[in-house]
């Protein structure tokens, strides 16, 4: 039933590779392409909407590269042009070895996955094109990742980079609701597939809080939205323009300046088998322009970088057994 699925093909590819390695190891030696040279006990995964990142502003390329390099090991980026992706990679590689996988839809505002090659191996699996309702939006980018091994153990998982329809109004809300329903079907299909890895992580710009009707399809899905713990709730309703809420210790409870809401999320498949097991509790954060990113003010950050703040969570790579 699933032999034509990309997950079956990926699983089969890994099995074939390991068999070849086993046969040839004594004579020639063979390294697993899904085993990076170095390994870390934790990895930092996140999402960042770069607000029409076209790569033409050198200062913005420099600032984005610093933010990504200092705070992430793998990150889903939104609103990235092909030119910007190449320029960002070139800049990042002046410090460490980074690589990216770029989505095929969205014209000059695509989704992308950037990851550190010394810590992670990545292989594009597919795109969930059914979620791209009009054909002019962005299809979620689905990628298989594996961290470096330590003591023969590693963390492998499937990462999905999402960018739902933006804008306000009833029509945009309707499209996001439909996208959420379709995204739920894709998650269900993925998790029903016996060839799929149980560790699933969704990151991206959902353009709605978790509790909004536009996310109805995912609310009862077998997923935990890590960002739910740090966002405002429906009673506070950030959409009514009550400012840019913060916690008692001054940390942001919004990821988008225009709405004052958390609309950039990280969601994981639930325990006991899903990626929630590897999540380091309470590590999810919306990075603060001054406290975390080193800007002299929020205003400077928003004027030079993006109207979104980056969101990050930390995952264990070897400490948890299933």
């Amino acid at each position: 039933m699933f032999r034509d699925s990309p997950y079956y093909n990926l699983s089969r590819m890994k099995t074939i590779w390991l068999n070849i390695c086993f046969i040839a190891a004594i004579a020639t030696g063979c390294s697993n392409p899904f085993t990076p040279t170095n390994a870390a006990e934790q990895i930092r995964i996140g999402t960042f909407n770069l607000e029409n990142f076209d790569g033409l502003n050198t200062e913005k390329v420099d600032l984005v590269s610093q933010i990504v390099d200092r705070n992430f090991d793998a990150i889903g980026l939104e609103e990235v042009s092909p030119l910007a992706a190449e320029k960002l990679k070139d800049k990042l590689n002046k410090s460490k070895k980074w690589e990216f996988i770029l989505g095929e839809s969205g014209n000059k505002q695509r989704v992308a996955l950037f990851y550190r090659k010394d810590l992670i191996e990545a292989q594009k699996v597919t795109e969930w094109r059914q979620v791209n309702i009009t054909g002019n939006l962005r299809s979620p980018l689905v990628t298989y990742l594996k961290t470096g091994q330590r003591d023969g153990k590693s963390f492998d998982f499937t990462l999905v980079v999402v960018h739902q329809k933006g804008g306000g109004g009833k029509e945009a809300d309707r499209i996001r609701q439909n996208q959420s329903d379709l995204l739920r079907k894709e998650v269900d299909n993925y998790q029903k597939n016996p060839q799929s890895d149980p560790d699933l992580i969704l990151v991206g710009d959902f353009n709605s809080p978790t509790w909004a009707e536009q996310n109805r399809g995912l609310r009862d899905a077998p997923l935990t939205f890590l960002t739910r713990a740090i966002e405002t709730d429906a009673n506070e309703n950030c959409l009514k323009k009550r400012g840019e809420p913060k916690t008692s210790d001054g940390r942001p409870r919004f990821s988008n300046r225009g709405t004052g809401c958390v609309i950039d999320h990280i969601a994981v498949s639930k325990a006991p088998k899903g990626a929630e097991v590897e999540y380091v509790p309470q590590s999810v954060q919306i990075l603060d322009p001054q406290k975390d990113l080193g800007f002299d003010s929020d205003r400077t950050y928003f004027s030079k970088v993006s109207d979104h703040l980056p969101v990050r969570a930390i995952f264990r790579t070897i400490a948890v057994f299933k």
Side-chain angles (χ1 to χ4, degrees):
M1 175 180 179
F2 296 104
R3 286 182 178 271
D4 294 329
S5 91
Y7 310 111
Y8 175 85
N9 293 333
L10 177 60
S11 178
R12 187 167 180 268
M13 179 185 73
K14 290 190 289 181
T15 301
I16 292 172
W17 179 268
L18 291 174
N19 288 338
I20 293 172
C21 284
F22 178 78
I23 295 170
I26 296 177
T28 63
C30 189
S31 61
N32 186 340
F34 291 99
T35 306
T37 303
N38 300 320
E41 293 187 359
Q42 295 181 339
I43 54 171
R44 302 164 297 171
I45 298 174
T47 178
F48 193 7
N49 183 317
L50 296 176
E51 190 184 10
N52 194 25
F53 186 41
D54 57 16
L56 301 179
N57 184 326
T58 301
E59 182 184 21
K60 182 169 178 175
V61 173
D62 291 345
L63 292 172
V64 169
S65 70
Q66 292 173 31
I67 292 170
V68 171
D69 186 58
R70 294 172 182 173
N71 297 283
F72 296 93
D73 302 308
I75 185 169
L77 300 178
E78 298 84 48
E79 297 195 18
V80 180
S81 75
L83 174 64
E86 291 289 352
K87 287 194 172 185
L88 179 58
K89 176 186 171 181
D90 290 344
K91 190 68 179 179
L92 285 167
N93 281 341
K94 296 183 183 301
S95 173
K96 303 180 183 75
K97 290 298 181 183
W98 285 79
E99 189 54 85
F100 71 88
I101 298 173
L102 188 65
E104 298 174 11
S105 55
N107 196 9
K108 293 184 178 181
Q109 292 193 358
R110 305 187 189 186
V111 299
L113 166 67
F114 272 72
Y115 62 96
R116 280 182 55 183
K117 290 183 68 177
D118 59 327
L119 298 178
I120 299 168
E121 288 285 346
Q123 173 71 48
K124 180 180 176 181
V125 178
T126 189
E127 294 188 11
W128 286 342
R129 292 184 172 86
Q130 296 299 320
V131 181
N132 187 354
I133 296 172
T134 67
N136 298 319
L137 301 173
R138 281 81 43 166
S139 303
L141 175 65
V142 185
T143 309
Y144 173 80
L145 294 90
K146 185 172 184 178
T147 65
Q149 290 192 10
R150 187 183 294 272
D151 298 327
K153 296 177 285 291
S154 65
F155 178 34
D156 58 330
F157 57 99
T158 299
L159 183 75
V160 182
V161 184
V162 176
H163 190 183
Q164 305 283 62
K165 167 68 177 173
K170 292 183 178 180
E171 179 62 15
D173 287 347
R174 182 189 66 80
I175 291 175
R176 278 196 295 277
Q177 287 177 355
N178 290 338
Q179 285 185 298
S180 180
D181 293 340
L182 291 169
L183 189 56
R184 169 63 190 274
K185 289 181 180 179
E186 295 288 0
V187 169
D188 287 344
N189 289 338
Y190 173 89
Q191 294 185 319
K192 290 175 183 175
N193 187 333
Q195 301 296 335
S196 298
D197 192 295
D199 292 308
L200 179 65
I201 302 176
L202 279 70
V203 302
D205 180 1
F206 289 71
N207 265 304
S208 298
T210 61
W211 44 261
E213 185 64 15
Q214 291 83 358
N215 273 326
R216 64 185 181 189
L218 294 172
R219 276 204 296 269
D220 61 346
L223 298 171
T224 297
F225 274 84
L226 303 179
T227 37
R228 184 68 190 95
I230 54 175
E231 70 176 342
T232 57
D233 59 30
N235 292 326
E236 297 173 272
N237 199 345
C238 53
L239 296 174
K240 293 189 180 299
K241 303 295 183 182
R242 295 182 179 176
E244 297 169 349
K246 296 194 176 185
T247 62
S248 58
D249 60 352
R251 299 202 61 83
R253 296 182 71 197
F254 67 97
S255 66
N256 174 254
R257 178 183 58 176
T259 61
C261 299
V262 177
I263 62 175
D264 304 90
H265 298 292
I266 301 175
V268 297
S269 50
K270 291 187 174 182
K273 293 185 176 181
E276 187 176 17
V277 176
E278 278 83 13
Y279 169 64
V280 176
Q282 301 180 340
S283 67
V284 66
Q285 282 187 325
I286 300 167
L287 300 188
D288 182 271
Q290 298 179 69
K291 292 182 173 67
D292 303 312
L293 304 180
F295 286 83
D296 59 4
S297 69
D298 289 7
R299 177 176 294 183
T300 300
Y301 169 87
F302 287 125
S303 66
K304 292 181 178 291
V305 182
S306 176
D307 59 348
H308 290 249
L309 296 171
V311 183
R312 182 183 66 196
I314 300 174
F315 293 81
R316 305 179 187 93
T317 59
I318 61 169
V320 177
F321 298 90
K322 297 178 183 175

